[in-house]
Amino acid sequence: MFGPLVSKPGSSRKNKTGSWRIESKPNFLKKNCLGCKLCVLVCPENCVKETAKNVFEVDLSYCKGCGMCAMICPKKEIEMVKEDKSK
Ligand code: SF4
Ligand code: SF4
């Protein structure tokens, strides 16, 4: 379930780690977000940003699809969706 992880959080910022994503990407439902920012804190790539109050977006250029944000979200606001990179 977990994708490749780096030893230091954010240490691969210079690389576009989004290409490491194998299966799925996070989809933020933007319905019941508490604004707790756990998804921001847990992301090893620091690629989740708050773009407005209680609105969070992911930069897919860096997201590795590890699913940690979806796992930690107390409101189940983030779902991991399959993506077909061959398209
Ligand atoms: S799946 Fe979530 S926690 Fe993992 S890299 Fe992508 S945005 Fe960050
Ligand atoms: S972890 Fe879930 S509830 Fe908390 S800020 Fe992120 S999306 Fe919102």
Side-chain angles (χ1 to χ4, degrees):
M1 167 171 188
F2 286 89
L5 297 174
V6 290
S7 54
K8 284 189 219 157
S11 63
S12 56
R13 169 59 54 179
K14 57 185 180 298
N15 302 317
K16 291 226 168 180
T17 43
S19 63
W20 297 8
R21 221 166 42 250
I22 300 167
E23 277 193 348
S24 52
K25 63 182 178 182
N27 179 37
F28 286 67
L29 301 176
K30 300 173 186 164
K31 286 182 188 161
N32 301 306
C33 177
L34 290 170
C36 67
K37 296 189 173 70
L38 283 174
C39 52
V40 176
L41 292 170
V42 81
C43 177
E45 285 306 315
N46 192 27
C47 63
V48 181
K49 303 284 178 214
E50 188 171 21
T51 55
K53 188 170 168 45
N54 291 8
V55 177
F56 292 81
E57 311 259 355
V58 59
D59 183 345
L60 291 173
S61 297
Y62 297 99
C63 169
K64 293 187 293 197
C66 67
M68 288 173 71
C69 53
M71 204 156 49
I72 200 131
C73 177
K75 297 298 276 183
K76 303 287 173 228
E77 272 285 282
I78 307 166
E79 60 178 15
M80 297 303 289
V81 295
K82 290 253 177 220
E83 68 175 336
D84 185 352
K85 288 192 148 193
S86 62
K87 285 179 189 165

